[in-house]
Amino acid sequence: LKRLRNIWTQKEFLLEFRMLSALENLFKLARERKEKPVEGSYTNELLSNKSLSKSKVLEEINELIEAVEKDTNKIHEAADVFYHLIIYLEAHNIKIEDIEKELEKRKK
């Protein structure tokens, strides 16, 4: 039983690590593109055009809600929300480290 718990804990750790790694990669991409823009990059377009970035976040959230309600494309739409929200946050100099601190304060 102890061995099974150990295996389960390892699987949970790997899953969490992969998830955090994917999000970290998005934040890295946003920061790298902000520091070193790439011509023709959609990410750079969103970083420089805050109005476009805002409208895309709103659009993607609405598409996610619709996908959940209709039980279609939920994963695709959720990925779009994460991507566009992370780029929006970076465009407005809202750092993930500050968000993490705020979330830590809310733990009960």
Side-chain angles (χ1 to χ4, degrees), residues 26-42:
L26 280 175
F27 281 103
K28 282 173 140 178
L29 172 71
R31 288 179 182 175
E32 286 171 5
R33 291 291 166 87
K34 192 173 181 183
E35 291 173 15
K36 298 177 187 171
V38 173
E39 191 174 329
S41 163
Y42 178 62

Side-chain angles (χ1 to χ4, degrees), residues 31-59:
R31 288 179 182 175
E32 286 171 5
R33 291 291 166 87
K34 192 173 181 183
E35 291 173 15
K36 298 177 187 171
V38 173
E39 191 174 329
S41 163
Y42 178 62
T43 299
N44 279 120
E45 186 178 355
L46 291 171
L47 288 167
S48 63
N49 185 339
K50 292 178 182 176
S51 177
L52 173 63
S53 185
K54 175 185 173 182
S55 68
K56 288 304 292 182
V57 168
L58 294 170
E59 175 187 325

